Amino acid sequence: MNNIFITGIGTGVGKTVASACVAEALGALYWKPVQAGLQDATDTQTVRSLLSEPGNVKDELYRLRMPASPHLAARREGVTIYEDRIIEHAKQLQQPGKPLVIEGAGGLMVPLSGQYFTLDLIKALGAKVIVVSQNYLGSINHSLLTAMALRNADIPVLGWIFNGDHHTNEDDIISWSRYHRITRIPRARRLNRDFVAVQAELMRPALQQLLSEG
């Protein structure tokens, strides 16, 4: 399978916008298997509004109303998240020549059910990972813990996407993690298709090179 998994160092670091930009850059399919929290627009709806080809956006497999960890939201709503079902659906979504960009919920150790975490799902999908980071107090620690967990699990990492204003912490994270910098997505004055198209164009060469290398 040709899967690229977008994870973050935590919640609210910009995974959805990064996922939209990566999907646009590669002409890829986008899929978020589990959405928790339906009060506002879902991440799938947001990405669909941002891509030049909205048909590349696939619907969620699990939609949970409660804005919480998937395992907790599922438990409260009487839903069982089956890992095998996610893997099988990912296979069904595959199209020749089109990568599948999969957006996770939160970070690596977000539990999906029982003792099954996002990290386990990435491993089972055989995906290459892009990590989204954002500068805030504690972000170095969260970034390096994420990098350590991926390395310990022997999961291939394409590199980092940083969100927001530039900070020298980016250089330190690159140096210490030994993972590539793909790009930095600046704060959007207006988040729309034009913004995503520009960011996609800027990151496309780095993405294509990293994908060709491994």
Side-chain angles (χ1 to χ4, degrees), residues 12-76:
V13 296
K15 291 190 310 298
T16 299
V17 173
S19 297
C21 293
V22 172
E24 183 72 18
L26 299 175
L29 303 174
Y30 165 90
W31 181 47
K32 182 162 187 171
V34 182
Q35 171 73 53
L38 300 178
Q39 286 85 349
D40 301 314
T42 66
D43 295 332
T44 297
Q45 291 169 330
T46 297
V47 174
R48 187 172 281 128
S49 73
L50 294 174
L51 294 192
S52 61
E53 296 184 47
N56 280 343
V57 179
K58 304 305 175 183
D59 291 331
E60 308 94 335
L61 195 57
Y62 294 96
R63 302 181 87 232
L64 305 165
R65 293 182 298 276
M66 184 180 180
S69 170
H71 85 295
L72 179 58
R75 183 188 303 161
R76 293 283 181 88

Coordinates of all heavy atoms in Angstrom, one line a residue, residues 12-76:
G12 N -4.3 19.9 17.9 CA -4.4 21.3 17.5 C -3.1 21.9 17.0 O -2.9 23.1 17.1
V13 N -2.3 21.1 16.4 CA -1.0 21.6 15.9 C -1.1 21.9 14.4 O -0.1 22.3 13.8 CB 0.2 20.7 16.2 CG1 0.4 20.6 17.7 CG2 0.0 19.3 15.6
G14 N -2.2 21.6 13.7 CA -2.4 21.9 12.3 C -2.3 20.7 11.4 O -1.9 20.9 10.2
K15 N -2.6 19.5 11.9 CA -2.5 18.3 11.0 C -3.5 18.4 9.8 O -3.1 18.0 8.7 CB -2.9 17.1 11.8 CG -1.9 16.7 12.9 CD -2.3 15.3 13.4 CE -3.7 15.1 13.8 NZ -4.1 16.0 14.9
T16 N -4.7 19.0 10.0 CA -5.6 19.0 8.9 C -5.2 19.9 7.8 O -5.3 19.5 6.6 CB -7.0 19.5 9.5 OG1 -7.4 18.5 10.5 CG2 -8.0 19.5 8.3
V17 N -4.7 21.1 8.1 CA -4.2 21.9 7.0 C -3.0 21.3 6.3 O -2.8 21.3 5.1 CB -3.8 23.3 7.6 CG1 -3.1 24.2 6.5 CG2 -5.1 24.0 8.0
A18 N -2.1 20.7 7.1 CA -0.9 20.0 6.6 C -1.3 18.9 5.7 O -0.8 18.7 4.6 CB 0.0 19.5 7.7
S19 N -2.3 18.1 6.1 CA -2.8 17.0 5.3 C -3.4 17.5 4.0 O -3.1 16.9 2.9 CB -3.9 16.2 6.1 OG -3.4 15.7 7.3
A20 N -4.1 18.6 4.0 CA -4.7 19.1 2.8 C -3.6 19.5 1.8 O -3.6 19.3 0.6 CB -5.6 20.3 3.1
C21 N -2.5 20.2 2.4 CA -1.4 20.6 1.5 C -0.7 19.4 0.9 O -0.3 19.5 -0.3 CB -0.5 21.5 2.3 SG -1.2 23.1 2.9
V22 N -0.4 18.4 1.7 CA 0.3 17.2 1.2 C -0.6 16.5 0.1 O 0.0 16.1 -0.9 CB 0.6 16.3 2.4 CG1 1.1 14.9 1.8 CG2 1.6 16.9 3.3
A23 N -1.9 16.4 0.4 CA -2.7 15.7 -0.6 C -2.8 16.5 -1.9 O -2.7 16.0 -3.0 CB -4.1 15.6 0.0
E24 N -2.8 17.9 -1.8 CA -2.8 18.7 -3.0 C -1.5 18.6 -3.7 O -1.5 18.5 -5.0 CB -3.1 20.2 -2.6 CG -3.2 21.1 -3.7 CD -4.5 21.0 -4.5 OE1 -5.4 20.3 -4.1 OE2 -4.5 21.5 -5.7
A25 N -0.4 18.6 -3.0 CA 0.9 18.5 -3.6 C 1.1 17.3 -4.4 O 1.8 17.3 -5.5 CB 2.0 18.7 -2.5
L26 N 0.6 16.2 -3.9 CA 0.8 14.9 -4.5 C -0.4 14.4 -5.4 O -0.3 13.3 -6.0 CB 1.1 13.8 -3.5 CG 2.3 14.1 -2.6 CD1 2.4 13.0 -1.5 CD2 3.6 14.1 -3.4
G27 N -1.4 15.2 -5.5 CA -2.6 14.7 -6.1 C -3.2 13.4 -5.5 O -3.7 12.5 -6.2
A28 N -3.0 13.4 -4.2 CA -3.3 12.1 -3.4 C -4.8 12.1 -2.9 O -5.5 13.1 -2.9 CB -2.4 12.0 -2.2
L29 N -5.2 10.9 -2.5 CA -6.4 10.8 -1.8 C -6.2 11.2 -0.3 O -5.1 11.0 0.2 CB -6.9 9.4 -1.8 CG -7.1 8.7 -3.2 CD1 -7.5 7.3 -3.1 CD2 -8.2 9.5 -4.0
Y30 N -7.3 11.7 0.3 CA -7.2 12.1 1.7 C -8.3 11.3 2.4 O -9.4 11.1 2.0 CB -7.5 13.6 1.9 CG -7.8 13.9 3.4 CD1 -6.8 14.3 4.3 CD2 -9.2 13.9 3.8 CE1 -7.1 14.5 5.6 CE2 -9.5 14.2 5.2 CZ -8.4 14.5 6.0 OH -8.7 14.8 7.3
W31 N -7.9 10.8 3.6 CA -8.9 10.0 4.4 C -8.5 10.2 5.9 O -7.4 10.0 6.3 CB -8.8 8.5 4.0 CG -9.7 7.6 4.7 CD1 -11.0 7.8 5.0 CD2 -9.4 6.3 5.3 NE1 -11.6 6.7 5.6 CE2 -10.6 5.8 5.9 CE3 -8.2 5.6 5.4 CZ2 -10.6 4.6 6.5 CZ3 -8.2 4.4 6.0 CH2 -9.4 3.9 6.6
K32 N -9.5 10.5 6.7 CA -9.4 10.4 8.2 C -10.3 9.3 8.7 O -11.5 9.4 8.7 CB -9.8 11.8 8.8 CG -9.6 11.8 10.3 CD -9.5 13.2 10.9 CE -9.2 13.1 12.4 NZ -8.9 14.4 12.9
P33 N -9.7 8.2 9.1 CA -10.5 7.0 9.5 C -11.5 7.3 10.6 O -12.6 6.8 10.6 CB -9.5 6.0 9.9 CG -8.2 6.4 9.3 CD -8.3 7.9 9.2
V34 N -11.0 8.0 11.6 CA -11.8 8.2 12.8 C -11.9 9.7 13.1 O -10.9 10.4 13.3 CB -11.2 7.5 14.1 CG1 -12.1 7.7 15.3 CG2 -11.0 6.0 13.8
Q35 N -13.1 10.2 13.2 CA -13.4 11.6 13.5 C -14.1 11.7 14.8 O -15.2 11.1 15.0 CB -14.2 12.3 12.5 CG -14.7 13.7 12.8 CD -13.6 14.8 12.8 OE1 -12.9 14.9 11.8 NE2 -13.5 15.5 13.9
A36 N -13.5 12.3 15.8 CA -14.2 12.5 17.1 C -14.5 14.0 17.3 O -13.6 14.8 17.3 CB -13.3 12.0 18.2
G37 N -15.8 14.3 17.5 CA -16.2 15.7 17.6 C -16.8 16.2 16.4 O -16.2 16.4 15.4
L38 N -18.2 16.3 16.4 CA -18.9 16.7 15.2 C -19.7 18.0 15.4 O -20.6 18.4 14.6 CB -20.0 15.6 14.9 CG -19.4 14.2 14.6 CD1 -20.5 13.2 14.3 CD2 -18.4 14.3 13.4
Q39 N -19.3 18.8 16.4 CA -20.0 20.1 16.6 C -19.8 21.1 15.5 O -20.8 21.7 15.1 CB -19.5 20.7 17.9 CG -19.9 20.1 19.2 CD -19.0 18.9 19.6 OE1 -18.2 18.5 18.8 NE2 -19.2 18.4 20.8
D40 N -18.6 21.2 15.0 CA -18.4 22.1 13.9 C -18.1 21.3 12.6 O -18.4 20.1 12.6 CB -17.1 23.0 14.2 CG -17.4 23.8 15.5 OD1 -18.5 24.4 15.6 OD2 -16.5 23.8 16.3
A41 N -17.5 21.9 11.6 CA -17.2 21.2 10.4 C -16.1 20.1 10.7 O -15.2 20.3 11.5 CB -16.6 22.1 9.3
T42 N -16.3 18.9 10.2 CA -15.3 17.8 10.4 C -14.1 18.1 9.6 O -14.0 19.0 8.7 CB -15.9 16.5 10.0 OG1 -16.1 16.5 8.6 CG2 -17.2 16.2 10.7
D43 N -13.0 17.5 10.0 CA -11.7 17.6 9.3 C -11.9 17.2 7.8 O -11.3 17.9 6.9 CB -10.6 16.8 9.9 CG -10.3 17.3 11.3 OD1 -10.5 18.5 11.6 OD2 -9.9 16.5 12.2
T44 N -12.7 16.2 7.6 CA -12.9 15.8 6.2 C -13.6 16.9 5.4 O -13.3 17.2 4.2 CB -13.8 14.5 6.2 OG1 -13.0 13.4 6.8 CG2 -14.1 14.1 4.8
Q45 N -14.6 17.5 6.0 CA -15.3 18.6 5.3 C -14.4 19.8 5.0 O -14.4 20.4 4.0 CB -16.5 19.0 6.1 CG -17.6 18.0 6.2 CD -18.7 18.4 7.3 OE1 -18.4 19.0 8.3 NE2 -19.9 17.9 7.0
T46 N -13.5 20.1 6.0 CA -12.6 21.1 5.8 C -11.6 20.9 4.7 O -11.4 21.7 3.8 CB -11.7 21.4 7.1 OG1 -12.6 21.7 8.2 CG2 -10.7 22.4 6.9
V47 N -11.0 19.7 4.6 CA -10.1 19.3 3.6 C -10.8 19.3 2.2 O -10.3 19.8 1.2 CB -9.4 18.0 3.8 CG1 -8.6 17.5 2.6 CG2 -8.6 18.0 5.1
R48 N -12.0 18.8 2.2 CA -12.8 18.8 0.9 C -13.0 20.2 0.4 O -12.9 20.5 -0.9 CB -14.2 18.1 1.1 CG -14.9 17.9 -0.2 CD -16.2 17.1 0.1 NE -15.8 15.6 0.2 CZ -16.2 14.8 1.1 NH1 -16.9 15.3 2.2 NH2 -15.8 13.6 1.1
S49 N -13.1 21.2 1.3 CA -13.3 22.6 0.8 C -12.0 23.2 0.4 O -12.0 24.3 -0.3 CB -13.9 23.4 2.0 OG -13.0 23.7 3.0
L50 N -10.9 22.6 0.7 CA -9.6 23.2 0.4 C -8.9 22.6 -0.8 O -7.9 23.2 -1.3 CB -8.7 23.0 1.7 CG -9.1 23.8 2.9 CD1 -8.2 23.5 4.1 CD2 -9.1 25.3 2.7
L51 N -9.3 21.4 -1.3 CA -8.6 20.8 -2.4 C -9.1 21.2 -3.7 O -10.3 21.4 -3.9 CB -8.7 19.3 -2.2 CG -7.9 18.6 -1.0 CD1 -7.9 17.1 -1.2 CD2 -6.5 19.2 -0.8
S52 N -8.3 21.2 -4.7 CA -8.7 21.5 -6.1 C -9.5 20.4 -6.7 O -10.3 20.6 -7.6 CB -7.5 21.8 -7.0 OG -6.7 20.7 -7.0
E53 N -9.3 19.2 -6.1 CA -10.1 18.0 -6.6 C -10.9 17.4 -5.3 O -10.4 16.5 -4.7 CB -9.2 17.0 -7.2 CG -8.6 17.4 -8.5 CD -7.8 16.3 -9.1 OE1 -8.3 15.2 -9.3 OE2 -6.6 16.6 -9.5
P54 N -12.0 18.0 -5.0 CA -12.7 17.5 -3.8 C -13.1 16.0 -3.8 O -13.2 15.4 -2.8 CB -14.0 18.4 -3.8 CG -13.7 19.6 -4.6 CD -12.7 19.1 -5.7
G55 N -13.1 15.4 -5.0 CA -13.4 14.0 -5.1 C -12.3 13.1 -4.6 O -12.5 11.9 -4.3
N56 N -11.2 13.7 -4.3 CA -10.0 13.0 -3.7 C -10.2 12.8 -2.2 O -9.4 12.0 -1.6 CB -8.7 13.7 -4.0 CG -8.2 13.4 -5.4 OD1 -8.6 12.5 -6.1 ND2 -7.2 14.2 -5.8
V57 N -11.2 13.4 -1.6 CA -11.5 13.3 -0.2 C -12.5 12.2 0.1 O -13.6 12.2 -0.5 CB -11.9 14.6 0.4 CG1 -12.2 14.5 1.9 CG2 -10.9 15.7 0.1
K58 N -12.1 11.2 0.9 CA -13.0 10.1 1.2 C -13.6 10.3 2.6 O -13.0 10.8 3.5 CB -12.1 8.8 1.1 CG -11.5 8.6 -0.2 CD -12.4 8.6 -1.4 CE -11.8 8.6 -2.7 NZ -12.7 8.7 -3.8
D59 N -14.8 9.7 2.8 CA -15.5 9.9 4.0 C -14.9 9.1 5.2 O -14.3 8.0 4.9 CB -17.0 9.5 3.8 CG -17.7 10.6 3.0 OD1 -17.3 11.7 3.0 OD2 -18.7 10.2 2.3
E60 N -15.1 9.5 6.4 CA -14.7 8.8 7.6 C -15.3 7.4 7.7 O -16.4 7.2 7.2 CB -15.0 9.6 8.8 CG -14.5 11.0 8.8 CD -15.6 12.0 8.3 OE1 -16.5 11.5 7.6 OE2 -15.5 13.2 8.7
L61 N -14.6 6.5 8.3 CA -15.2 5.2 8.6 C -15.9 5.3 10.0 O -17.0 4.6 10.1 CB -14.0 4.2 8.7 CG -14.4 2.7 8.7 CD1 -15.2 2.4 7.5 CD2 -13.1 1.9 8.8
Y62 N -15.4 6.0 10.9 CA -16.1 6.2 12.2 C -16.3 7.7 12.5 O -15.3 8.5 12.4 CB -15.2 5.6 13.3 CG -15.1 4.1 13.3 CD1 -14.0 3.5 12.7 CD2 -16.1 3.3 13.8 CE1 -13.8 2.2 12.6 CE2 -16.0 1.9 13.7 CZ -14.8 1.3 13.1 OH -14.7 0.0 13.0
R63 N -17.5 8.1 12.8 CA -17.8 9.5 13.1 C -18.4 9.5 14.5 O -19.5 9.0 14.7 CB -18.8 10.1 12.1 CG -18.3 10.0 10.7 CD -19.2 10.7 9.7 NE -19.0 12.1 9.6 CZ -20.0 13.0 9.7 NH1 -21.2 12.6 10.0 NH2 -19.7 14.3 9.6
L64 N -17.7 10.1 15.4 CA -18.1 10.1 16.8 C -18.4 11.6 17.2 O -17.7 12.5 16.9 CB -17.0 9.6 17.7 CG -16.5 8.2 17.3 CD1 -15.2 7.8 18.0 CD2 -17.6 7.1 17.7
R65 N -19.5 11.8 17.9 CA -20.0 13.1 18.3 C -19.1 13.8 19.3 O -18.9 15.0 19.3 CB -21.4 13.1 18.8 CG -22.4 12.7 17.7 CD -23.9 12.7 18.2 NE -24.1 11.8 19.3 CZ -24.3 10.5 19.1 NH1 -24.5 10.0 17.9 NH2 -24.5 9.7 20.2
M66 N -18.7 13.0 20.3 CA -18.0 13.6 21.5 C -16.6 14.0 21.1 O -15.8 13.3 20.5 CB -17.9 12.5 22.6 CG -17.3 13.0 23.9 SD -17.3 11.6 25.1 CE -16.5 12.5 26.5
P67 N -16.2 15.3 21.4 CA -14.8 15.7 21.2 C -13.9 15.2 22.3 O -13.6 15.9 23.3 CB -15.0 17.3 21.2 CG -16.1 17.5 22.1 CD -17.1 16.3 22.0
A68 N -13.4 14.0 22.1 CA -12.6 13.3 23.1 C -11.7 12.3 22.4 O -11.8 12.1 21.1 CB -13.4 12.7 24.1
S69 N -10.8 11.6 23.1 CA -10.1 10.5 22.6 C -11.0 9.5 21.9 O -12.1 9.3 22.5 CB -9.3 9.9 23.7 OG -8.7 8.7 23.3
P70 N -10.7 9.0 20.8 CA -11.6 8.1 20.1 C -12.1 6.9 20.9 O -13.2 6.5 20.9 CB -10.8 7.6 18.9 CG -9.8 8.7 18.6 CD -9.5 9.3 19.9
H71 N -11.2 6.4 21.8 CA -11.6 5.2 22.6 C -12.7 5.6 23.6 O -13.6 4.9 23.9 CB -10.4 4.6 23.3 CG -10.0 5.2 24.6 ND1 -9.6 6.5 24.7 CD2 -10.1 4.7 25.8 CE1 -9.3 6.8 25.9 NE2 -9.6 5.7 26.7
L72 N -12.6 6.8 24.1 CA -13.5 7.3 25.1 C -14.8 7.7 24.4 O -15.9 7.3 24.9 CB -13.0 8.5 25.9 CG -13.9 9.1 26.9 CD1 -14.3 8.1 28.0 CD2 -13.2 10.3 27.6
A73 N -14.7 8.4 23.3 CA -16.0 8.8 22.6 C -16.7 7.6 22.1 O -17.9 7.5 22.2 CB -15.6 9.7 21.4
A74 N -16.0 6.6 21.6 CA -16.6 5.3 21.1 C -17.3 4.6 22.3 O -18.4 4.1 22.2 CB -15.6 4.4 20.5
R75 N -16.6 4.6 23.4 CA -17.2 3.9 24.6 C -18.5 4.6 25.0 O -19.5 3.9 25.3 CB -16.2 3.9 25.7 CG -16.6 3.2 27.0 CD -15.6 3.4 28.1 NE -14.3 3.0 27.7 CZ -13.2 3.4 28.4 NH1 -13.3 4.3 29.4 NH2 -12.0 3.0 28.0
R76 N -18.5 5.9 25.1 CA -19.6 6.7 25.5 C -20.8 6.5 24.5 O -22.0 6.6 24.9 CB -19.3 8.1 25.6 CG -18.3 8.4 26.8 CD -19.0 8.4 28.1 NE -18.1 8.7 29.2 CZ -17.8 9.9 29.6 NH1 -18.4 11.0 29.1 NH2 -16.9 10.1 30.6

